Amino acid sequence: MFIAISGISGSGKNTVMHHLTKMRGNLKILERSTATTRERRESDETYQTYIYMSEEEFKKGIDKGIFIEYENVHGFYYGTLKEAFQKVIEDKENDYARDIDVKGVINLKKYLTGKVDMVTIFLDAPDEELKSRLLKRGESKERAEARLSRGKLERSYKDNYDLVIENVDLNNTLQIINDFIDKRRGIK
């Protein structure tokens, strides 16, 4: 199973994902499955989620067809690497999770259909809470506002998701997701 988690900047995608791996023994973060041209964050060193490329390298990757999908988000390119998803398709014992942009989820569904079961989760929170979280993680006020300006577009995709949660209480969010995955797996 592949679990795609999307949401507004600051909605807690990575926090939720990492807590879920502690709750579910066979759930792994799909590391290094996304290439990006954005600068590194401190948390990137912990989670090993991105492969960093210059814009020129990224565009060469587009030309070579190495991405399932790609998008320019907040002025930086992000692309989902085909090679990384081979592991998801072949590994029948483990589930994988990754945060994926709202447009990327649509393309990933097309790519994975018939190859692996996919669960899509959209996280949201009130705008003031989102802004507060972004500022706490070190974003400048201007950068936080730029990231939040995409919220209307991202929210317009919510109907494409299996599960939509307003993530204001982490424990509640985790329980809802865990129960949903169990139900999808036929456990409860």
Side-chain angles (χ1 to χ4, degrees):
M1 176 182 288
F2 178 69
I3 302 163
I5 301 178
S6 303
I8 315 294
S9 292
S11 61
K13 298 177 292 289
N14 284 308
T15 300
V16 165
M17 203 168 37
H18 290 281
H19 280 279
L20 282 172
T21 62
K22 293 175 185 171
M23 295 172 73
R24 304 188 68 83
N26 73 327
L27 180 62
K28 314 272 184 233
I29 302 296
L30 185 59
E31 294 181 338
R32 301 179 58 78
S33 59
T34 301
T36 185
T37 60
R38 79 154 168 77
E39 65 277 358
R40 293 176 192 262
R41 292 186 199 138
E42 265 185 55
S43 63
D44 293 341
E45 297 305 316
T46 303
Y47 304 133
Q48 301 292 313
T49 50
Y50 294 105
I51 293 173
Y52 296 90
M53 297 180 167
S54 68
E55 192 167 321
E56 182 181 332
E57 290 170 317
F58 197 97
K59 288 180 178 179
K60 284 180 183 175
I62 294 169
D63 292 340
K64 290 179 180 176
I66 69 169
F67 301 111
I68 295 169
E69 58 80 32
Y70 63 91
E71 173 108 19
N72 189 305
V73 181
H74 310 300
F76 301 104
Y77 283 101
Y78 292 82
T80 305
L81 297 160
K82 287 180 183 176
E83 183 181 319
F85 276 86
Q86 221 27 62
K87 180 186 340 182
V88 174
I89 293 166
E90 293 169 1
D91 186 347
K92 304 301 180 200
E93 293 185 22
N94 292 299
D95 294 336
Y96 291 88
R98 185 73 176 95
D99 63 312
I100 305 283
D101 173 79
V102 292
K103 292 182 181 177
V105 165
I106 293 168
N107 292 317
L108 204 50
K109 276 184 181 180
K110 291 176 191 171
Y111 183 78
L112 293 177
T113 296
K115 298 174 185 168
V116 69
D117 188 21
M118 182 172 170
V119 170
T120 57
I121 300 166
F122 186 90
L123 298 178
D124 202 350
D127 287 341
E128 283 305 310
E129 177 67 19
L130 296 169
K131 186 174 182 179
S132 172
R133 291 176 186 175
L134 290 173
L135 294 172
K136 283 180 187 172
R137 77 177 189 199
E139 299 278 358
S140 68
K141 186 177 179 181
E142 296 77 25
R143 188 86 179 122
E145 288 172 3
R147 293 177 77 80
L148 292 174
S149 69
R150 188 172 160 88
K152 185 175 181 180
L153 168 76
E154 291 170 326
R155 286 179 175 125
S156 73
Y157 283 82
K158 288 197 303 190
D159 291 343
N160 296 317
Y161 286 78
D162 299 318
L163 185 62
V164 177
I165 303 170
E166 187 166 281
N167 182 24
V168 291
D169 178 322
L170 178 60
N171 290 328
N172 187 52
T173 296
L174 293 169
Q175 192 60 56
I176 291 168
I177 294 171
N178 199 45
D179 290 348
F180 185 84
I181 294 169
D182 282 349
K183 185 175 179 184
R184 183 75 166 255
R185 284 237 172 256
I187 295 171
K188 287 185 181 181

